[in-house]
Amino acid sequence: MTAFFGSVFWLLVTLGVLVTFHEFGHFWVARRCGVKVLRFSVGFGNAIWKRIGRDGTEYRIAAIPLGGYVKMLDAREGEVDPALADQEFTGKPVWQRIAIVAAGPGFNLIFTVLALWLMFVIGKPDAAPVVAAVPNSLAAQADIRDGDRVLRVDGKPVSTWSETYEAIANAMLGREPLPMHVRDPDGRERDVVLPLQRLPAGGSLDEYLPKLGLKLAPPPAVVAQVLPGKPAAAAGMQPGDRILAVNGQPVHDYEDFQRLVPAEAAKAPRLTLTIERGGHTLPLVVEARREALEGQPPNWIIGVAGAPREMAVLRYGPLRALPAALHSTWDHTRSTLAMLGKMLTGQASARNISGVIGIAQVANVSASMGPAWFLEFLAMVSLSLAILNLLPIPVLDGGHLLYYLIELVKGRPLSERAMALGQYVGLTLLLVLMGLAFYNDIHRLLPS
């Protein structure tokens, strides 16, 4: 599946699952409050399947799989049969209307916790937080050294690279010094501080990350496997050999080795490798060969594989996974609200907002990384939907909740004119937000 079609497919899966779950929250609570639900639709547009349930609700699957909706009996949308007046939405007490509207975001929060719980039970494979610093970067200025293992970020323990990256990314938006505790390859621990205050104001994460210069440490240049019948095997290379140089050019890690072999072989296929074996330094002459491996374009190879990067699996038992999921939901909620606050006050750039294109790309990547990664992605999008829908913007659930809270204070509903004006304002704000997100997505796709 190509990246484009994969992104489209997993976007449809994401929106279909999350928006339908959101609408099911409205549906379920409306039914419990005695409101008649006329239609529950998975998708929009013309129905490709439908049936009338015993409760009188029309259940349908529609042609456009971009979510769903619930249609309730509502006097604002036409005449209501007097016999059904007690099942009409606007006639219900205000607290019941609040419960029905809040149920959509509430079910998104429930989905977030459940998805994270399942992710922890399955176990999410990830890289260990063993890092390196790009020369002259902020990480290098903080004395981050190659092979340092990050143990804590701002006092919070971390065990995987994604945990470390997420904590640092959130801190970069605030542009404040970030303390970390690390352990070097010899076991010595020390405290370092990333000088994030030196980042330029108003930038996006895409601009900050190169300046930060913190990356996963590449594996050492140690041969893990020698492929039979290839040039390295013919030259006598053995598993465990450490490669020190290629044609006299020093090799610090496996990335250096992968870069130097094709570059030097393009000049002349005969390569002189300097290796370390059993404490002794040895020269080794290898005739590189140009081949296409595993469907890749032809390239110069010698036929060795390096040691894999150290991995860590974030996994808990079913009981321990529940508090971990609740804690993770709370942490992500706080960081999301903090980011929104920083964008509103100008501390963080609105260029950090992603739209449907960005969501589709991340959906495809996370799905390709395995079920645990995709569950975490679904959880984060579900949480974002909950928070977005609770914003006090008319046309969103939060706007309706604002109307009902005003009704509680005043003792009577807002006028239809006031609500109509709010709808126009809310729709305008929503279109501006969607336009900004779409612009950011397109800007990221364009070459810099």
Side-chain angles (χ1 to χ4, degrees), residues 222-227 239 254 257-258 302-308:
V222 175
V223 176
Q225 183 183 8
V226 180
L227 303 180
Y254 201 74
F257 172 67
Q258 288 180 307
I302 65 171
V304 297

Side-chain angles (χ1 to χ4, degrees), residues 156-411:
K156 178 184 174 182
V158 293
S159 59
T160 65
W161 170 244
S162 58
E163 285 181 298
T164 305
Y165 173 84
E166 183 180 339
I168 293 173
N170 288 331
M172 280 194 289
L173 296 175
R175 298 172 50 250
E176 295 180 355
L178 180 66
M180 299 201 309
H181 190 72
V182 301
R183 184 173 64 226
D184 67 21
D186 295 324
R188 293 185 293 267
E189 297 186 11
R190 68 186 192 281
D191 293 315
V192 298
V193 179
L194 292 178
L196 302 183
Q197 74 278 9
R198 299 179 188 173
L199 291 168
S204 66
L205 286 177
D206 290 339
E207 296 168 336
Y208 287 162
L209 287 171
K211 292 180 172 59
L212 176 66
L214 187 70
K215 63 177 184 177
L216 280 170
V222 175
V223 176
Q225 183 183 8
V226 180
L227 303 180
K230 301 297 182 183
M237 187 168 283
Q238 300 176 11
D241 288 347
R242 178 179 290 272
I243 302 164
L244 303 178
V246 175
N247 285 354
Q249 298 195 50
V251 172
H252 302 101
D253 51 54
Y254 201 74
E255 284 184 0
D256 281 347
F257 172 67
Q258 288 180 307
R259 173 181 55 82
L260 285 170
V261 165
E264 292 298 308
K267 303 173 187 175
R270 188 179 180 86
L271 304 176
T272 300
L273 307 185
T274 305
I275 65 169
E276 181 184 291
R277 179 188 297 166
H280 300 286
T281 301
L282 306 171
L284 205 63
V285 177
V286 182
E287 290 283 345
R289 187 187 303 165
R290 189 169 175 81
E291 290 186 13
L293 297 177
E294 299 180 354
Q296 298 296 316
N299 200 0
W300 291 100
I301 61 100
I302 65 171
V304 297
R309 179 174 275 125
E310 182 184 348
M311 300 297 290
V313 178
L314 196 61
R315 180 186 288 121
Y316 301 120
L319 293 180
R320 190 181 172 195
L322 182 57
L326 290 168
H327 184 73
S328 180
T329 300
W330 172 244
D331 277 351
H332 283 99
T333 300
R334 284 195 310 172
S335 63
T336 301
L337 293 174
M339 186 183 75
L340 288 174
K342 288 169 183 173
M343 285 193 291
L344 288 173
T345 58
Q347 291 178 275
S349 171
R351 284 177 288 176
N352 291 297
I353 298 174
S354 290
V356 66
I357 297 175
I359 293 172
Q361 291 174 323
V362 178
N364 186 44
V365 171
S366 61
S368 69
M369 295 173 70
W373 282 89
F374 190 61
L375 282 167
E376 184 181 44
F377 166 76
L378 287 177
M380 295 303 99
V381 177
S382 185
L383 180 61
S384 297
L385 283 174
I387 294 172
L388 176 65
N389 271 283
L390 286 173
L391 295 177
I393 299 175
V395 311
L396 296 178
D397 291 333
H400 293 293
L401 291 174
L402 178 62
Y403 290 157
Y404 300 146
L405 291 175
I406 293 173
E407 180 179 339
L408 277 175
V409 173
K410 293 181 61 179

Side-chain angles (χ1 to χ4, degrees), residues 63-134:
I64 305 174
L66 292 175
Y69 65 92
V70 171
K71 181 178 175 61
M72 304 178 203
L73 185 64
D74 194 321
R76 295 169 296 185
E77 298 179 1
E79 293 292 330
V80 174
D81 186 339
L84 300 175
D86 62 334
Q87 300 180 54
E88 190 267 330
F89 175 76
T90 62
K92 293 296 180 180
V94 65
W95 68 266
Q96 288 190 343
R97 282 177 275 145
I98 288 174
I100 292 169
V101 171
F107 267 55
N108 279 134
L109 286 173
I110 292 171
F111 184 94
T112 299
V113 174
L114 291 176
L116 289 173
W117 174 83
L118 186 55
M119 178 204 75
F120 284 127
V121 170
I122 292 174
K124 189 181 78 168
D126 200 348
V130 180
V131 299
V134 175

